[in-house]
Amino acid sequence: MNKLTPAELALLPKLDRIELITVRLPFVQPFATSVHSWAVKEALLLRIESGGVVGWGECVADPDPYYSYETTQTARHIFKDFLLPQVEAGISFAELGERLRPVRGHGMAKAMLENALLDLVARQRGVPLHELLGWPGRRIQSGISIGIKDSIPELLSAVEEALRRPYHRIKVKIMRGKDVAWLRALRAEFPQIALMADANGDYRIEDAPLLRELDAFNLTMIEQPLSYSDIVQHAALQRELATSLCLDESIHDLDDARAALSLDACRIINIKQGRVGGLLESLRIAAFCHERGVGVWSGGMDETGIGRAFNLHLQAAAGFTLPGDTSETSRYFAEDIVAPGVVLADDGFIEMPTGPGIGVQVLEDRVKRYELERERLS
Ligand code: OSB
Ligand code: MG
């Protein structure tokens, strides 16, 4: 067992009030993957209070199971019936992790709980979250994930607009039928940019010859080309491609990351703290990859400003050497539930919030405005 970190040793405070809040924010424009298109962000939030200090967590599950089997409803059920009963004042985050271990999977529900507790403890100590996690703040690289478009010209203009911000790297979603020709057109127009593609599992191993054609486009990586549940076939595919593979959906915890690297199923991992059970497991995965020279980056789940702030703080850690999917707030929402929003500096970098906890202010009147449901649990 590795030495525990200060955050893992931190103790849970007594909670005076616990609420689950569902919010629904319209997206500025719909976001489409190979699997589904979302027009609104529906998110389950956790609000906890201790001695007048408030901590927030965001569950990255959607109301539907089109990215993961978890949904806002499964997260609510697992949280109320299995996770919350394990929370006890005075135990450490490490002890909480041990108590939650028998609950198989449901990393999104677990991350929401851990998020809120870490934010609360950091706010009580008056330190930024990244400091509680043991890392000095830094400016981070930006990246953008551009959804599936109806036509190649639409994709070209979306990329052009993103380059003007300027984002450090561009990720485009691909799917069967919107792949080789689309990337060829992009490369012809933008020969030099850092470009990658995310298939969200749309291909099968039989598509290896088609995917090999993507080697011509000098992509920094291809993200999750094969099934969300597969690691072995990704290893077979990686042997056939010059381009690095990156796994997203297939990685739920450190053990999955170990399996993927030992099988050479990918050369890069997309760490979404909201998918792998929270920030502490994310840091374990990042450290494991860093020791092996494997790059990681922070993905996103189109979070509200709450979840986005957690993703920012995570990227203070060593190992996050690649630009992630952390984009400007205005790209997702006309109005967010936190202030300030994420903006790019002129050089495309993003500043890490410096205030206590996640370092952004949650605007409770806005939360109320976008609220669908609020359930008080204590
Ligand atoms: O596969 O990384 C993905 C959004 C929702 C579900 C899955 C994915 C994404 C993104 C967008 O790519 C990331 C973001 O902008 O937050
Ligand atoms: Mg992805």
Side-chain angles (χ1 to χ4, degrees):
M1 182 82 181
N2 287 328
K3 201 164 125 292
L4 293 176
T5 62
E8 288 166 326
L9 290 169
L11 304 182
L12 307 195
K14 177 180 168 299
L15 302 182
D16 306 322
R17 188 182 175 110
I18 302 165
E19 288 166 293
L20 285 175
I21 304 164
T22 308
V23 290
R24 185 180 227 197
L25 278 73
F27 280 135
V28 170
Q29 52 176 326
F31 182 75
T33 69
S34 59
V35 185
H36 190 67
S37 176
W38 289 270
V40 295
K41 176 69 196 180
E42 189 175 315
L44 182 65
L45 307 177
L46 174 62
R47 183 186 186 280
I48 55 177
E49 244 182 85
S50 177
V53 180
V54 177
W56 288 88
E58 173 169 346
C59 180
V60 301
D62 290 305
D64 50 72
Y66 300 136
Y67 169 80
S68 150
Y69 68 88
E70 291 192 79
T71 68
T72 40
Q73 290 301 332
T74 68
R76 176 185 297 275
H77 159 53
I78 296 295
F79 176 77
K80 284 167 61 177
D81 297 339
F82 299 100
L83 307 185
L84 188 56
Q86 297 300 330
V87 175
E88 187 184 333
I91 66 169
S92 67
F93 279 87
E95 167 69 15
L96 178 65
E98 283 307 308
R99 289 187 181 196
L100 299 188
R101 189 190 285 281
V103 176
R104 298 180 173 199
H106 297 284
M108 295 178 175
K110 291 173 181 171
M112 172 179 74
L113 170 60
E114 193 200 74
N115 276 189
L117 289 166
L118 285 169
D119 179 41
L120 178 62
V121 168
R123 285 181 196 265
Q124 286 182 327
R125 295 185 183 183
V127 301
L129 180 58
H130 63 76
E131 197 176 309
L132 177 64
L133 299 176
W135 298 95
R138 61 179 168 110
R139 307 174 82 213
I140 60 153
Q141 293 177 276
S142 63
I144 188 168
S145 172
I146 296 176
I148 300 277
K149 300 289 180 196
D150 289 336
S151 68
I152 292 177
E154 272 178 72
L155 179 62
L156 291 175
S157 67
V159 170
E160 199 202 329
E161 193 187 319
L163 290 169
R164 266 191 268 122
R165 292 302 305 144
Y167 282 100
H168 290 130
R169 76 97 170 94
I170 305 286
K171 158 170 144 183
V172 296
K173 294 287 186 183
I174 56 169
M175 64 189 288
R176 280 175 293 160
K178 294 187 174 184
D179 41 38
V180 180
W182 295 54
L183 287 165
R184 183 180 295 122
L186 268 180
R187 255 306 171 232
E189 189 82 14
F190 309 106
Q192 301 294 342
I193 63 168
L195 180 66
M196 60 172 289
D198 184 2
N200 290 101
D202 207 37
Y203 298 89
R204 291 180 298 257
I205 190 67
E206 292 76 19
D207 297 314
L210 181 147
L211 293 167
R212 210 181 297 128
E213 291 184 54
L214 304 184
D215 276 344
F217 306 132
N218 189 27
L219 304 177
T220 53
M221 70 196 84
I222 302 171
E223 184 178 346
Q224 197 73 37
L226 309 179
S227 171
Y228 63 89
S229 60
D230 173 74
I231 291 179
V232 170
Q233 299 202 69
H234 278 101
L237 180 62
Q238 181 67 89
R239 284 193 291 275
E240 303 227 5
L241 298 184
T243 309
S244 294
L245 295 184
C246 168
L247 290 180
D248 172 358
E249 284 93 324
S250 299
I251 307 295
H252 302 92
D253 56 20
L254 177 59
D255 284 339
D256 284 342
R258 278 205 180 97
L261 297 197
S262 67
L263 290 170
D264 294 320
C266 62
R267 301 185 194 131
I268 296 166
I269 289 181
N270 170 346
I271 300 181
K272 291 180 180 168
Q273 55 82 20
R275 182 193 72 230
V276 301
L279 293 161
L280 300 179
E281 186 74 356
S282 297
L283 294 174
R284 288 178 209 118
I285 297 172
F288 176 80
C289 291
H290 193 50
E291 282 162 22
R292 283 155 190 79
V294 170
V296 303
W297 51 279
S298 167
M301 288 293 290
D302 301 327
E303 291 94 340
T304 76
I306 296 176
R308 193 171 310 282
F310 284 95
N311 297 344
L312 283 175
H313 285 271
L314 172 63
Q315 292 173 74
F320 287 86
T321 50
L322 300 163
D325 277 345
T326 317
S327 309
E328 291 187 310
T329 304
S330 59
R331 183 182 129 62
Y332 307 90
F333 310 112
E335 192 174 73
D336 197 359
I337 53 175
V338 310
V342 172
V343 287
L344 303 194
D346 290 344
D347 57 2
F349 279 84
I350 298 171
E351 302 291 341
M352 199 158 297
T354 53
I358 55 175
V360 292
Q361 190 196 347
V362 177
L363 306 169
E364 303 244 14
D365 53 328
R366 295 261 180 95
V367 173
K368 289 210 171 71
R369 189 176 317 159
Y370 294 107
E371 187 171 309
L372 288 181
E373 189 183 350
R374 182 179 290 243
E375 183 180 8
R376 185 159 175 192
L377 301 173
S378 88

